[in-house]
Amino acid sequence: MIQISRTIRIYFFRNGSSELLKVATLNFKKNDSSLYIIPYARNNSYRIGQKSFAQHDIEATLKFNENETSENIPHLSIHNSGQVHVRIPQLNQIIGPCKIPSFSRLNGEHVASITCDSFDALQIEEENKKHKNSQRIAIKIGDNEESRRVLICINGNEERFVVEDCYSYFHVKHKPEGLKNPVWVGIFSIPQDRLNAPDVEPGVTIISGWDPTDRSVKQEDFLYIRGL
C-alpha cells in the first residue's frame, strides 16, 4: 500500500467560469520523492501500455489496443531512482519499467506529459467538492482554445526548469520525511490543436519514460495511461 502524503489536483478552467475541468492528479509519498500520476477518466476506463518513438520526432501518433483496457485505476510511477512504470495496484500488475536519470541527476528536464485530446474529454468537478490533504492547481484556458497539454519537469537540486514557450506554470516543492534534499516539480501548460478525429472518443493521456538528458539514442521507449 502506497502511503500518500500530498496530492496535487490539476484542473483547467475558462475565464469567467467557475467550472473546473478535471485533468489529472499528482501524488507524493510520505517518505521518498516518488511521483505518481493518474489521469482523470470520465467513463472510468483506461488504456495502458508501452510504445516507442524516434528521438527527434516532434509528433507521434498513438494507436491504442482494446486488449490493454482496464477498469481499475492505474498510476504512472516516476521513482527517485529513475525507474518509471505503470502499475495497477488492485491487480498487482506492472507494465515497464523504463529508465530515466535519477532525480539527483535531473536539472529541470521534461519527464512526463499529460495531454487532453480536447476539452470534451474532461469531466466537470462537482461544485464545492472538498478533497482532504490536497492542493488545487487551476490553469486558465483561452476562449478559442480546443486542447492543452501539461508538461511535468523535475529538478532534484534547485528550483529551475528547462522549458520554453509555456503560458502557465506552477512550481511544487516536495520534502519527504527523513530525506535531506527536496525535489522540485514544475507544472507547465501549452495550448494545442484538437487531437482526436471526430469519430474517436477523446481522452486524457499521460506518457513518460524517455531519457530527457540523452540525445544520442535513436529510439525512445515510453509508457502511457489513457483515461476515457
Side-chain angles (χ1 to χ4, degrees):
M1 177 68 69
I2 297 171
Q3 293 186 336
I4 300 300
S5 64
R6 183 181 184 185
T7 296
I8 307 292
R9 299 181 185 274
I10 301 176
Y11 302 89
F12 292 144
F13 75 97
R14 292 195 183 278
N15 190 30
S17 174
S18 61
E19 292 182 342
L20 295 175
L21 304 176
K22 299 191 288 187
V23 181
T25 60
L26 278 61
N27 293 316
F28 296 90
K29 286 183 68 175
K30 183 176 182 178
N31 56 359
D32 72 27
S33 303
S34 299
L35 174 62
Y36 303 88
I37 311 176
I38 304 171
Y40 280 112
R42 60 179 182 172
N43 298 317
N44 297 315
S45 179
Y46 300 89
R47 307 285 188 269
I48 55 177
Q50 183 169 353
K51 293 185 182 293
S52 62
F53 63 92
Q55 168 65 264
H56 299 292
D57 281 355
I58 298 176
E59 297 182 356
T61 300
L62 297 183
K63 295 182 179 180
F64 300 98
N65 190 332
E66 291 295 330
N67 294 329
E68 299 165 339
T69 300
S70 173
E71 293 184 356
N72 294 291
I73 299 176
H75 59 240
L76 190 146
S77 308
I78 305 177
H79 291 288
N80 184 43
S81 64
Q83 185 179 109
V84 180
H85 60 248
V86 171
R87 184 167 182 263
I88 305 176
Q90 299 93 329
L91 304 179
N92 199 27
Q93 178 183 356
I94 292 178
I95 297 174
C98 290
K99 183 69 174 176
I100 68 172
S102 63
F103 287 5
S104 63
R105 293 174 52 219
L106 288 173
N107 294 298
E109 289 86 0
H110 168 214
V111 299
S113 291
I114 308 168
T115 294
C116 71
D117 297 340
S118 72
F119 297 129
D120 297 337
L122 305 180
Q123 187 177 14
I124 298 173
E125 175 74 288
E126 295 177 26
E127 191 173 358
N128 299 322
K129 185 171 184 178
K130 304 292 184 181
H131 296 283
K132 187 178 180 181
N133 297 326
S134 70
Q135 175 184 348
R136 176 185 293 172
I137 288 180
I139 299 171
K140 184 168 71 174
I141 57 180
D143 293 337
N144 297 320
E145 290 181 22
E146 296 182 309
S147 174
R148 267 185 180 254
R149 66 183 180 273
V150 176
L151 311 183
I152 305 298
C153 303
I154 290 178
N155 194 320
N157 302 291
E158 60 181 330
E159 186 181 3
R160 185 177 66 85
F161 302 100
V162 185
V163 289
E164 297 177 354
D165 301 328
C166 290
Y167 288 72
S168 302
Y169 66 89
F170 301 85
H171 295 178
V172 176
K173 180 182 179 181
H174 176 56
K175 178 67 167 64
E177 292 183 2
L179 296 185
K180 180 179 179 180
N181 297 321
V183 60
W184 290 94
V185 178
I187 301 171
F188 301 86
S189 180
I190 304 175
Q192 62 186 12
D193 294 334
R194 184 186 185 101
L195 298 181
N196 64 300
D199 59 339
V200 176
E201 183 178 12
V204 180
T205 304
I206 297 172
I207 62 172
S208 183
W210 63 87
D211 183 347
T213 67
D214 186 356
R215 300 300 180 185
S216 64
V217 296
K218 295 182 178 180
Q219 197 82 3
E220 288 276 17
D221 291 333
F222 66 92
L223 297 160
Y224 68 84
I225 303 175
R226 179 171 172 80
L228 296 170

